[in-house]
Amino acid sequence: MSIRRIHAAPGHVTPVGPYSQAVVANGLVFTSGQIPARSDPTDQPAEFSDQVRQTLRNLQAILEEAGSNLDHVIKVNTYLTETEQLTEYNSVYEEFFGAHKPARTSVCVSLWGVSLEIECVAALIEPAKEL
């Protein structure tokens, strides 16, 4: 089995710890949690809806770097800091996923300096052929 680790998508925020933003294995992409950071973890949009958009753009960038995209997402895990955020989150989430509705889990947790974090599992667009 071949495993490819992606530390960061070019032009996007690099991880703040010793981990990969995505790991590709067996035709699947497993992402680490993405946050609403733009240039660095402290540079985040002010409005929650824009934070959701930025987080999903960051997720999209790492998926594309791995050879996938939002249309190939199988499962999403979402971590919110306030239960009241769910309605607004769902509205923005639908902008990105539309009729494509991956399986999803959403939970309310305490996070470090961010209002949400999103991770996912996606299929590669064209899985690598075994040698």
Side-chain angles (χ1 to χ4, degrees):
M1 169 178 62
S2 119
I3 296 176
R4 182 169 56 108
R5 299 174 201 292
I6 299 167
H7 181 66
H12 289 274
V13 178
T14 56
V16 295
Y19 60 88
S20 298
Q21 285 190 338
V23 174
V24 180
N26 290 336
L28 297 173
V29 180
F30 301 85
T31 72
S32 293
Q34 300 299 304
I35 61 173
R38 292 182 285 213
S39 61
D40 67 63
T42 62
D43 179 18
Q44 300 175 23
E47 299 296 321
F48 180 71
S49 60
D50 292 331
Q51 291 175 12
V52 177
R53 284 182 189 91
Q54 184 62 51
T55 302
L56 289 168
R57 282 187 211 106
N58 293 347
L59 186 67
Q60 187 172 23
I62 199 68
L63 286 171
E64 289 172 1
E65 180 65 19
S68 189
N69 60 33
L70 292 176
D71 290 339
H72 286 76
V73 171
I74 299 164
K75 174 76 165 90
V76 173
N77 292 324
T78 302
Y79 307 93
L80 303 171
T81 56
E82 303 290 334
T83 56
E84 297 80 22
Q85 297 168 318
L86 188 59
T87 300
E88 191 172 3
Y89 172 77
N90 280 335
S91 177
V92 176
Y93 180 90
E94 194 166 26
E95 290 174 21
F96 283 78
F97 287 101
H100 171 67
K101 297 194 179 353
R104 188 179 97 187
T105 300
S106 299
V107 296
C108 192
V109 299
S110 178
L111 296 169
W112 299 276
V114 294
S115 59
L116 78 152
E117 188 167 337
I118 304 171
E119 65 181 28
C120 74
V121 176
L124 290 173
I125 293 172
E126 294 184 28
K129 299 202 177 8
E130 294 293 323
L131 299 176

